Amino acid sequence: MATVKINRRQLLKTAGAGTASLMLGSSPDFQVSGGETCRKPNLVFVFADQWRAEAAGYAGNQVVRTPNLDRLAGESFNFRTAVSGCPVCCPYRASLLTGQHPLTHGVFLNDAPLGNDAASIAQAYSEAGYDTGYIGKWHLDGIDRSAFIPPERRQGFQFWRAFGCTHDYNNSFHYGNENVKLSWEGYDAIAQTREANHYIREHAEGKPFCLFLSWGSPHAPYHTAPDKYRSLFRPEDIKLRANVPERDMPRAREALAGYYAHIAALDDCIGDLLDTLDETGTSSNTIFVFTSDHGDMLYSQGGQKKQQPWDESIRVPFLLRYPDIHGNRGQVINMPINTPDIMPTLLGLSGIRIPSSVEGCDYSRLISRELPETDNAVLISCPSPFGQWQRKRGGREYRGVRSARYTYVRDLQGPWLLYDNLADPEQLNNFCNNPVYAKLQGRLDVILAARLKDTHDSFRPGPEYIKRWGYAVDASGTIPYSN
């Protein structure tokens, strides 16, 4: 039986030193040890909504069509075990922007507003001399998803073409600096990508820039991609994962045909963005990230949507291309990376000081190969189940760890799930409380306890956290919202 080797304490101690060799400041240039002066890298951060890790050609999916992502993967660091630690929309976005865990920033439910207590990633880049921009879905301003979001609630982003939340992709809106609702033309992801391309061209010279592009698809509704993409996929041609129950197979094939159509459209958008970077001569000095806020069960394990502890929900694609560091060579990193780790890692790569409010780990030295990979088990959690994962539908609070190989999860009653994901990638065999795996389970339980201690998480029932933060929820456990 394989053992789990965890060296997170050493990694946390040394990873933050990744910027120690950089002369930090607000100048658009920074000095690398050895005296060579370089322009700080741009950042283009692109993320979709509900795109699970296996739904890409480079990940082995033979039905979905992602030629542009496949090319990108060949030029990028592919974090094969990237994890959405609290796999639902608002908690992910709040952790992405602050580098904090959900029970720290308080956004552990959808439609809870993100406060201004923590320094954001946009503020950190702005203070380092960058222009910052945000395009697309925001979903961090509270219960009115269609409301105008004033500058003081934009977490430091300067350029603004965003909207709270909508999944009406062909009738979608956004705001600029004024409280005037503006339409995206046609399928919104294509129009948003066009806006991002314009931003890149306008900022190709001068100050470095930090641009976030947030798409709403491939989140349901699944059958609203443009016709030319929907025509590519037929339900009868869809290959299902082995963990889809037979009773759900027809619905799963139908949903996946539409899901893959959205993905094909977004893949073309990725190609447009990469072409724009090439045309403007900014590719070599731009950190380009593609990822997603969480996955989608799509009837695997008999479940739908997100929040759940299985890989279809928690694992996301994460490609990071930075040619100036490692050239155009695809490299796979098996060590897990969690949502709060994204902000400090990007700041570390950019030579920007990491705010003290950040809880995640800076893995920039891992990318530059100054540190080795470790089997770093990351925390996954559902502090308070709601919506599709509400209690009457089988949802439950949980805490767990996902390492490069294993998934181990406890609910409020005790140990619940244990999978060997290398031997059983579709998580068909739960070995929890199996005497043969008792030693492994015990080691993983110790690691989970350490993660909970590190994040000051006492693992209480969801209503206690709701009361602590003063949220009002409905019968499904959701904060009621308006569109």
Side-chain angles (χ1 to χ4, degrees):
M1 188 183 304
T3 60
V4 181
K5 297 179 180 178
I6 303 297
N7 195 17
R8 182 175 175 87
R9 182 179 299 274
Q10 180 186 8
L11 194 59
L12 285 168
K13 181 179 179 181
T14 59
T19 58
S21 64
L22 306 179
M23 300 298 292
L24 302 175
S26 60
S27 168
D29 292 338
F30 65 88
Q31 188 173 33
V32 182
S33 59
E36 181 184 358
T37 300
C38 305
R39 186 180 187 273
K40 283 185 177 179
N42 306 309
L43 170 64
V44 176
F45 190 96
V46 182
F47 63 118
D49 189 346
Q50 216 155 287
W51 188 324
R52 67 191 194 184
E54 65 85 29
Y58 71 84
N61 189 311
Q62 298 179 355
V63 179
V64 70
R65 302 189 185 189
T66 55
N68 292 297
L69 275 179
D70 299 346
R71 172 169 65 94
L72 178 65
E75 302 171 352
S76 301
F77 284 99
N78 173 10
F79 285 81
R80 182 176 284 166
T81 320
V83 168
S84 178
C86 185
V88 67
C89 184
C90 295
Y92 170 91
R93 290 161 192 269
S95 292
L96 170 68
L97 295 188
T98 65
Q100 295 180 335
H101 293 277
L103 292 180
T104 300
H105 56 61
V107 183
F108 53 87
L109 297 171
N110 271 352
D111 300 289
L114 176 62
N116 293 313
D117 295 337
S120 76
I121 190 170
Q123 290 163 346
Y125 273 98
S126 179
E127 289 175 5
Y130 280 67
D131 287 330
T132 60
Y134 195 98
I135 299 170
K137 178 180 176 179
W138 180 245
H139 207 181
L140 282 173
D141 199 54
I143 63 175
D144 188 347
R145 294 184 172 186
S146 63
F148 173 69
I149 301 167
E152 64 270 18
R153 297 209 300 270
R154 297 175 186 173
Q155 296 295 323
F157 286 100
Q158 300 154 352
F159 179 85
W160 188 257
R161 298 291 184 271
F163 193 79
C165 178
T166 182
H167 295 293
D168 189 356
Y169 304 127
N170 296 290
N171 185 34
S172 181
F173 300 91
H174 66 282
Y175 294 95
N177 289 327
E178 305 296 328
N179 189 3
V180 178
K181 191 182 289 188
L182 305 169
S183 297
W184 291 116
E185 180 182 355
Y187 185 68
D188 62 1
I190 294 174
Q192 290 159 0
T193 302
R194 190 181 304 120
E195 185 71 44
N197 287 330
H198 179 72
Y199 182 94
I200 292 168
R201 292 188 179 99
E202 289 289 310
H203 291 78
E205 298 181 2
K207 296 167 63 177
F209 63 86
C210 162
L211 176 64
F212 277 61
L213 172 59
S214 172
W215 294 318
S217 52
H219 187 292
Y222 300 120
H223 299 286
T224 57
D227 289 346
K228 76 172 193 174
Y229 298 106
R230 286 191 287 129
S231 67
L232 297 174
F233 302 96
R234 302 185 306 168
E236 56 266 33
D237 296 330
I238 301 299
K239 181 180 179 181
L240 297 177
R241 291 172 68 77
N243 56 19
V244 176
E246 184 175 1
R247 68 177 185 276
D248 294 323
M249 288 181 176
R251 289 181 294 176
R253 289 192 176 93
E254 186 73 25
L256 279 161
Y259 185 73
Y260 289 166
H262 281 307
I263 286 175
L266 298 181
D267 183 75
D268 274 356
C269 292
I270 289 286
D272 288 343
L273 289 165
L274 297 177
D275 287 346
T276 298
L277 291 171
D278 288 341
E279 292 164 8
T280 57
T282 55
S283 289
S284 64
N285 195 40
T286 296
I287 301 167
F288 187 94
V289 175
F290 168 73
T291 187
S292 180
D293 58 356
H294 51 78
D296 192 331
M297 294 300 294
L298 285 161
Y299 298 96
S300 285
Q301 310 288 352
Q304 298 181 59
K305 304 295 175 65
K306 55 270 189 178
Q307 293 189 74
Q308 302 167 48
W310 292 281
D311 272 2
E312 290 83 2
S313 170
I314 66 168
R315 283 187 58 227
V316 293
F318 195 97
L319 301 177
L320 188 154
R321 187 182 75 170
Y322 186 11
D324 266 6
I325 279 192
H326 71 287
N328 293 322
R329 303 186 305 275
Q331 300 184 41
V332 174
I333 294 179
N334 291 304
M335 188 192 80
I337 185 172
N338 204 350
T339 312
D341 304 324
I342 297 172
M343 174 180 172
T345 298
L346 294 175
L347 293 176
L349 286 174
S350 303
I352 297 173
R353 192 175 304 280
I354 298 168
S356 61
S357 56
V358 167
E359 296 177 327
C361 187
D362 171 15
Y363 291 132
S364 59
R365 294 184 70 197
L366 176 70
I367 293 170
S368 64
R369 296 307 191 188
E370 296 176 68
L371 284 178
E373 288 188 47
T374 66
D375 192 359
N376 171 41
V378 298
L379 180 67
I380 58 175
S381 71
C382 176
S384 186
F386 65 90
Q388 294 91 0
W389 187 237
Q390 61 185 283
R391 290 176 182 82
K392 69 180 180 181
R393 296 183 180 180
R396 62 183 85 179
E397 297 93 331
Y398 65 79
R399 304 292 191 274
V401 287
R402 178 53 158 97
S403 74
R405 178 164 185 173
Y406 298 107
T407 297
Y408 172 65
V409 182
R410 297 178 66 98
D411 64 12
L412 288 171
Q413 306 305 312
W416 172 29
L417 302 173
L418 174 59
Y419 296 109
D420 181 341
N421 299 308
L422 293 185
D424 178 25
E426 297 188 349
Q427 298 178 317
L428 296 169
N429 302 298
N430 179 11
F431 294 120
C432 194
N433 298 324
N434 183 325
V436 175
Y437 291 83
K439 289 184 178 179
L440 171 65
Q441 181 172 321
R443 288 195 295 271
L444 291 167
D445 199 65
V446 169
I447 294 166
L448 174 57
R451 298 292 174 272
L452 296 178
K453 182 178 179 180
D454 288 344
T455 56
H456 310 288
D457 184 351
S458 56
F459 192 7
R460 306 298 301 161
E464 292 191 22
Y465 297 110
I466 291 171
K467 182 179 179 180
R468 183 181 305 173
W469 285 86
Y471 297 142
V473 300
D474 61 19
S476 71
T478 304
I479 298 175
Y481 61 86
S482 61
N483 286 314

